[in-house]
Amino acid sequence: MSIQTVLYNGRITTQDLNKPEVSAMAVSDGHIAAIGSDDEIKRLADASTQLIDLDNRRVIPGLNDSHLHVIRAGLFANLELRWDGTPTLTQALRQLKEQARRTPPPQWVRVIGGWNEFQFAEGRMPTFQELNDAAPDTPVFLLHLYDSAMLNKAAIRALGMGQHTPNPPGGLIAKDQRGNPTGLLIAEPNALILYSTIANAPKLSFEDQLNSTRHFMRELNRFGVTSVSDAGGGGQNYPSDYAVVNQLEKEGHLTLRIAYSLFAQKPGEELNDYLRWLGMTRPGQGSDLLRVNGAGENLAWSAADFENFLQPRPDLKPIMESELEAIVMKLAEAKWPWRIHATYDESIDRFLTIFERVHREHPIDQLRWFIDHAETVSDRNLERIQRLGGGIAIQHRMAYQGEYFIRRYGVEQVKQLPPIRKMLKMGIPVGAGTDGTRVASYHPWTCLWWMVTGQTVGGTVMHDSEDCMTREEALKLYTHGSAWFSNEDDRKGTLSVGKFADLAVLSEDYFTVEPDGIRSIESVLTMVGGKAVYANGHYAHLAPDLPPISPDWSPVHFYGGYDNSLTTPPQHNHKTIMAADGRAWTTSCGCGT
């Protein structure tokens, strides 16, 4: 056996039960060949082996986001000005103003989720006057998670909105006393109004989509992400919208392992979608880098309980049961795993009743089906999930919506949401992720920090210490835990002999850095299959080539992606909370005290 690479002189967290921490590891043919001491492993090298001195740095298994919309995000990333992590509204508006000046017609300036007002030192939303002053002529679309959006006057003109523009189903176009649109779009709680509006803006060319996807994957590699379970998305049609990732995989340019789920697109046509896809492909089809995972996260539009805590919980229509059961029955019969979006326990309860009926005809307890989100799941329904062999993919959405949840439901209700500790005690498979890039940021270290500290990005403490994860527990959920959800826990998630050599060498020691410092961690060397996909600092010479960002006016070219320059949350100090009253923002305290 030829050893291609030896990494030594490190603090390598393997998560292997027999050797949980070692100083060195050997890589052969994309897999881990040996782990142990420096002397043991360096003895395996020959004249052709690449030797990498880890300089006593912490190494972890590559992070695996169990719920990220990476394929969709890649198609648009180079068009987006990211406010993820931006510490002040002043900085955010300055960037918006500068970007508006350089963005050529007919393109828009787009800020597409991943932030909220509580992360800003100012603790507030921008005003419409500020948007219009920053961009008087260039259309601006500012998405606030998945609850609302702001348009400047130029965007209203570009969309042709006026006094007679009707509200779409489940959404509201706010209007002033004269009936003119104000620029505020409100999900009530259906987010269709938000993503259908931005869909009207120009897209990138196919070549620029290839470039955009490569750069977005490199951004994820920057933070040590090596695998993703892609949750599909509205407007992400199969197979047409998968052409970019398929081409990148064929050309050897994928720097993530992606297992993707097929998301039903058109209300009323979901069953036809799945019947067609069942004949076109199957779970596991593809390669070690790009493969079909199953169905979801949207199986039926009638089952969508939108994650908008600024609005009352939606009651799913009675037709949901018949539509969803027909689809799940076909999936179970074909032995297709599925994932299903479910924020509220009331929705989960109804879904599980359907799954139990299906299970009696076609057993599902070996399919690795799972619930996405499950913020308010009850003990009773956790027991039902356990009996049916299901899992739960959790995300840090509460880090961005905790204040909104507290305002509607109270401080006591938020303390154990989602109830991760209970899930783990029951032996339910749990994987961690972000739900990036819209309803939350794609930043994995904010998710790990949230699990460890129980805080929102605005600094509100939601969880008692006993309900927070230890750093070891949180990391396991983001690595080996997530691998269960793509049926790959036998191949990745630990740095054990025989598994993929997917790893991240960290800028700081995750286990000893002070809690807020977790959010500042980056990878200095990320490897997928033993090959460097990202490298910085001392390891920069190992970085693979990447073409320049295109188009050249892209916001990413000037501002990059996630801003982790300031990782300590601003002091809470009874910040006001935004809500839409049909015309503009109104405010009230969201801290619950």
Side-chain angles (χ1 to χ4, degrees):
M1 177 177 60
S2 175
I3 301 298
Q4 279 87 46
T5 304
V6 163
L7 300 97
Y8 68 96
N9 187 28
R11 289 175 288 171
I12 303 173
T13 299
T14 67
Q15 297 187 144
D16 183 297
L17 294 178
N18 295 318
K19 292 184 177 181
E21 183 167 323
V22 297
S23 63
M25 59 186 293
V27 176
S28 176
D29 193 27
H31 295 74
I32 297 168
I35 57 175
S37 68
D38 286 0
D39 289 343
E40 291 172 325
I41 303 304
K42 291 176 78 172
R43 203 177 297 137
L44 303 175
D46 59 29
S48 65
T49 301
Q50 178 187 41
L51 299 176
I52 298 177
D53 185 350
L54 296 171
D55 194 26
N56 203 36
R57 292 189 179 277
R58 177 66 59 186
V59 180
I60 62 170
L63 298 177
N64 183 347
D65 192 319
S66 64
H67 187 124
L68 181 65
H69 300 273
V70 64
I71 295 174
R72 180 182 66 191
L75 301 179
F76 297 95
N78 282 3
L79 289 172
E80 295 177 1
L81 173 61
R82 301 303 304 184
W83 282 0
D84 306 46
T86 303
T88 69
L89 180 58
T90 299
Q91 177 181 324
L93 289 170
R94 174 181 56 78
Q95 292 176 350
L96 191 150
K97 183 175 183 178
E98 293 169 352
Q99 188 58 39
R101 289 174 175 171
R102 67 172 68 98
T103 300
Q107 290 288 352
W108 295 31
V109 177
R110 315 156 193 241
V111 182
I112 308 293
W115 63 279
N116 72 14
E117 67 273 29
F118 299 118
Q119 76 189 44
F120 297 140
E122 298 89 340
R124 67 172 180 87
M125 294 287 292
T127 66
F128 287 103
Q129 186 65 51
E130 287 170 329
L131 290 191
N132 289 315
D133 288 346
D137 303 310
T138 305
V140 171
F141 181 92
L142 183 68
L143 180 66
H144 183 268
L145 306 179
Y146 253 166
D147 54 65
S148 54
M150 297 176 73
L151 305 173
N152 68 344
K153 290 180 179 179
I156 294 172
R157 292 193 298 269
L159 292 167
M161 283 185 173
Q163 293 180 337
H164 303 295
T165 303
N167 292 322
L172 175 67
I173 300 172
K175 295 179 179 179
D176 62 21
Q177 293 180 344
R178 296 182 179 180
N180 296 311
T182 64
L184 177 61
L185 306 180
I186 305 169
E188 291 192 321
N190 192 324
L192 175 65
I193 187 174
L194 308 178
Y195 46 74
S196 63
T197 299
I198 194 57
N200 289 294
K203 297 178 173 61
L204 290 170
S205 68
F206 186 79
E207 288 301 314
D208 283 343
Q209 287 179 336
L210 291 170
N211 181 281
S212 178
T213 298
R214 290 186 68 181
H215 279 274
F216 185 63
M217 289 191 299
R218 184 68 66 93
E219 168 75 353
L220 293 169
N221 299 149
R222 168 190 165 203
F223 296 113
V225 178
T226 59
S227 289
V228 167
S229 288
D230 184 89
Q236 188 175 320
N237 294 284
Y238 182 83
S240 58
D241 288 318
Y242 292 74
V244 167
V245 288
N246 281 324
Q247 181 162 325
L248 291 176
E249 194 271 337
K250 290 177 183 177
E251 294 175 349
H253 292 318
L254 285 185
T255 61
L256 294 170
R257 301 188 192 277
I258 302 174
Y260 59 87
S261 299
L262 302 185
F263 184 111
Q265 294 296 312
K266 186 177 179 181
E269 295 296 321
E270 300 96 333
L271 180 59
N272 291 333
D273 277 344
Y274 285 114
L275 290 174
R276 183 172 71 257
W277 294 336
L278 287 173
M280 292 174 62
T281 188
R282 66 184 187 279
Q285 182 170 306
S287 69
D288 287 338
L289 286 172
L290 183 66
R291 58 197 291 273
V292 179
N293 199 32
E297 69 178 293
N298 181 50
L299 298 177
W301 285 98
S302 57
D305 68 341
F306 297 92
E307 63 286 344
N308 181 356
F309 298 131
L310 289 172
Q311 299 287 336
R313 177 183 62 81
D315 284 320
L316 303 180
K317 295 179 179 179
I319 196 174
M320 183 276 290
E321 271 78 4
S322 60
E323 291 185 344
L324 183 60
E325 185 164 347
I327 293 164
V328 172
M329 189 71 75
K330 288 294 183 183
L331 293 173
E333 183 180 0
K335 294 183 167 48
W336 267 55
W338 66 85
R339 63 192 307 162
I340 186 166
H341 168 109
T343 301
Y344 297 97
D345 186 61
E346 290 82 354
S347 306
I348 293 170
D349 189 75
R350 291 170 65 180
F351 297 164
L352 291 174
T353 299
I354 294 168
F355 298 168
E356 288 164 345
R357 286 199 296 267
V358 170
H359 179 66
R360 288 193 283 271
E361 292 192 38
H362 302 287
I364 68 172
D365 54 349
Q366 300 299 314
L367 287 185
R368 298 205 181 196
W369 66 272
F370 57 98
I371 302 285
D372 278 308
H373 317 310
E375 276 88 357
T376 70
V377 65
S378 64
D379 292 357
R380 172 179 174 272
N381 283 331
L382 286 175
E383 292 171 358
R384 296 170 76 192
I385 292 169
Q386 180 191 44
R387 285 196 296 270
L388 291 172
I392 300 175
I394 58 99
Q395 302 81 38
H396 64 172
R397 301 192 310 179
M398 293 300 286
Y400 293 85
Q401 297 201 55
E403 287 86 359
Y404 311 143
F405 190 95
I406 289 170
R407 191 188 69 158
R408 183 166 293 279
Y409 299 107
V411 173
E412 290 302 314
Q413 292 296 316
V414 83
K415 283 188 175 181
Q416 296 184 27
L417 302 182
I420 306 173
R421 179 69 64 200
K422 290 181 181 178
M423 299 173 190
L424 295 177
K425 285 182 178 179
M426 295 175 68
I428 295 172
V430 179
T434 62
D435 202 4
T437 59
R438 297 180 177 180
V439 75
S441 176
Y442 56 84
H443 187 230
W445 295 101
T446 291
C447 182
L448 286 156
W449 167 84
W450 162 74
M451 286 191 282
V452 168
T453 68
Q455 292 186 61
T456 70
V457 296
T460 298
V461 177
M462 296 178 289
H463 302 156
D464 293 333
S465 59
E466 59 267 24
D467 292 316
C468 294
M469 299 294 102
T470 67
R471 299 190 193 202
E472 291 80 6
E473 289 171 329
L475 181 63
K476 185 176 180 180
L477 295 185
Y478 223 114
T479 51
H480 192 250
S482 290
W484 183 91
F485 293 79
S486 57
N487 199 17
E488 295 176 288
D489 47 322
D490 60 338
R491 296 193 287 168
K492 62 185 180 182
T494 68
L495 298 178
S496 303
V497 173
K499 292 195 175 181
F500 291 135
D502 299 350
L503 59 93
V505 183
L506 303 183
S507 59
E508 299 171 80
D509 191 336
Y510 165 70
F511 294 107
T512 61
V513 70
E514 53 89 20
D516 286 340
I518 292 173
R519 295 180 72 194
S520 70
I521 293 174
E522 296 189 10
S523 176
V524 294
L525 175 63
T526 305
M527 304 183 86
V528 173
K531 295 180 180 179
V533 294
Y534 174 85
N536 196 10
H538 179 70
Y539 304 100
H541 64 286
L542 299 174
D545 292 335
L546 189 66
I549 294 168
S550 64
D552 59 7
W553 52 265
S554 166
V556 181
H557 178 71
F558 297 92
Y559 308 114
Y562 187 89
D563 183 341
N564 64 352
S565 60
L566 183 64
T567 57
T568 301
Q571 189 174 356
H572 180 43
N573 203 23
H574 293 271
K575 292 191 201 71
T576 54
I577 188 168
M578 176 276 295
D581 70 353
R583 292 183 184 171
W585 310 123
T586 59
T587 58
S588 65
C589 183
C591 69
T593 61

